[in-house]
Amino acid sequence: MKKTVLSLTLAASILALGACSGADDKALITSKVGDISVADFNEKAKSLAGPAVLLQMVSEKILADKYEVTDKELKEAYDATASQFGDGFAQALTENGLTEQGFKDSLRVQLLQEKALKDQGIKEEDVKKHYEQMKTELNGRHILVADEKTANEVIEKIKGGASFADVAKEYSTDTGSAEKGGELGWFTAGMMVDEFNDAAYALELKTLSEPVQSSFGYHVIEITDKRDVKDIGKFEDEEENIRTDMLGKLKQTGEDQMIIKDIIAKMAKDADVKTSDKELKKSLEFFTTTSEDQAKAAEEEAKKAAEEDKAEDTDKESK
């Protein structure tokens, strides 16, 4: 089954069941080999997926206080997933332990998270920078190498009089463009990885960049031409699409998970979310701790350890 559904399976299926109602000693399941009571079921559900369900329910409660997912938006998202499976969707849900309502519940949380990410996880200045870049299309070329030393060697050769195209054919590991002398053709904002994109838009025409590191290696970039892009709307008309595109990139890199965790942690802390349940207390504390808080705690722990080591060494010397 595809990631869209798999990523929601555990929390959705348990959440759909929820805590069974009725007297604790009431038999939920009967069989010749023994019964399962409501209390047995609720305790097992809690131990198996309590933290996951807690996160989902807390997330929904907190996010829904600030953002809204309409029935129309939920239906569109649900139908989009269902259309991927066609007639086999109901079977796919069953095979993954999901009910239709359970899947919709988790899908609603996912949509709330996306709204929060667009609003809080993407900086306004980055959106405006992207908008300004959208107004210009670039024509450029690059040479991709494995390390900074080689990138500097490439720059020296070109500045020394060697042809960019010849050096690209000799050095570039990007086989697609190397055969064409490093030529990339025309490209617009957002088509390249962020590091390449920002470096390219900052370059003056026919000027070599310094080595630009990305997940692919080190790039040496040259922009050979620029032209205005027609039919770009006003910022307020383009903003939502820009945020959607930027959210898509965050999902591709997996950065969205850490960002949304921090957003929820901060909102949960502001909402003073607490629990009296000892078993779920640690999980809740983890959910309401931001990555910044974790880093500070780790730093304090390291500092404390260093002081203890120093004190121990001093004690040994005194003896």
Side-chain angles (χ1 to χ4, degrees):
M1 199 169 190
K2 297 184 181 177
K3 184 178 178 183
T4 305
V5 177
L6 277 178
S7 62
L8 303 174
T9 300
L10 180 61
S13 56
I14 301 296
L15 184 63
L17 292 168
C20 285
S21 59
D24 286 349
D25 58 353
K26 179 182 177 182
L28 179 67
I29 299 292
T30 60
S31 75
K32 293 179 180 178
V33 294
D35 299 343
I36 297 175
S37 69
V38 169
D40 291 336
F41 174 84
N42 288 340
E43 187 60 32
K44 182 62 68 174
K46 179 179 171 183
S47 64
L48 282 174
V53 176
L54 179 71
L55 174 60
Q56 176 153 320
M57 294 182 75
V58 169
S59 296
E60 182 172 19
K61 179 74 70 175
I62 290 171
L63 295 173
D65 185 60
K66 183 169 183 178
Y67 305 102
E68 180 188 6
V69 172
T70 65
D71 291 341
K72 180 182 178 183
E73 290 172 326
L74 182 61
K75 184 178 185 304
E76 287 175 352
Y78 182 87
D79 290 347
T81 302
S83 67
Q84 296 177 24
F85 300 94
D87 295 337
F89 185 53
Q91 181 64 29
L93 288 176
T94 301
E95 289 174 356
N96 282 270
L98 285 162
T99 65
E100 180 179 318
Q101 187 57 50
F103 179 65
K104 285 181 178 179
D105 288 341
S106 277
L107 195 55
R108 181 183 294 277
V109 176
Q110 181 176 301
L111 292 174
L112 284 168
Q113 289 179 347
E114 289 184 358
K115 287 176 181 284
L117 276 167
K118 284 183 183 180
D119 180 37
Q120 301 183 51
I122 298 171
K123 296 178 182 178
E124 183 75 12
E125 56 263 36
D126 290 337
V127 179
K128 289 181 177 178
K129 180 177 73 174
H130 185 93
Y131 173 72
E132 291 302 320
Q133 291 176 348
M134 283 172 57
K135 298 176 182 179
T136 306
E137 193 173 19
L138 306 179
N139 195 322
R141 52 188 180 178
H142 84 139
I143 298 169
L144 177 64
V145 294
D147 54 75
E148 189 174 10
K149 181 181 177 181
T150 308
N152 283 318
E153 184 180 329
V154 162
I155 292 171
E156 287 179 14
K157 282 204 167 194
I158 297 172
K159 287 185 175 180
S163 161
F164 191 105
D166 290 341
V167 177
K169 291 174 182 177
E170 179 183 355
Y171 281 85
S172 188
T173 58
D174 179 7
T175 54
S177 66
E179 296 174 355
K180 298 179 286 186
E183 295 292 340
L184 296 168
W186 290 98
F187 59 91
T188 57
M191 287 180 62
M192 305 297 185
V193 291
D194 290 343
E195 300 87 352
F196 186 105
N197 181 88
D198 291 344
Y201 272 92
L203 273 177
E204 296 291 333
L205 278 177
K206 304 185 188 311
T207 302
L208 287 180
S209 72
E210 294 297 317
V212 177
Q213 186 179 12
S214 78
S215 57
F216 295 100
Y218 286 81
H219 309 260
V220 176
I221 309 167
E222 182 182 22
I223 301 304
T224 55
D225 202 0
K226 297 181 181 182
R227 66 188 181 193
D228 293 336
V229 178
K230 298 178 180 179
D231 302 323
I232 298 296
K234 294 180 180 179
F235 177 74
E236 51 268 30
D237 298 327
E238 300 286 353
E239 183 178 7
E240 180 63 22
N241 288 332
I242 294 173
R243 288 184 180 274
T244 298
D245 290 342
M246 295 177 82
L247 175 59
K249 281 196 171 186
L250 288 177
K251 287 182 176 181
Q252 285 178 353
T253 61
E255 294 176 78
D256 61 314
Q257 294 303 308
M258 179 57 73
I259 295 173
I260 192 60
K261 181 189 179 302
D262 279 352
I263 290 172
I264 292 172
K266 186 177 183 304
M267 293 179 73
K269 191 178 294 185
D270 292 342
D272 196 26
V273 175
K274 297 176 182 178
T275 180
S276 58
D277 191 299
K278 293 180 180 179
E279 293 179 26
L280 294 176
K281 189 173 182 180
K282 285 187 177 180
S283 295
L284 187 62
E285 287 176 352
F286 174 74
F287 296 146
T288 55
T289 301
T290 65
S291 55
E292 184 179 352
D293 292 335
Q294 289 176 329
K296 285 181 179 178
E299 186 178 339
E300 287 297 320
E301 191 67 29
K303 184 179 179 181
K304 182 180 177 182
E307 289 174 351
E308 289 175 351
D309 289 342
K310 185 177 180 180
E312 187 178 335
D313 291 341
T314 302
D315 185 52
K316 288 179 180 179
E317 289 175 2
S318 65
K319 292 179 180 179

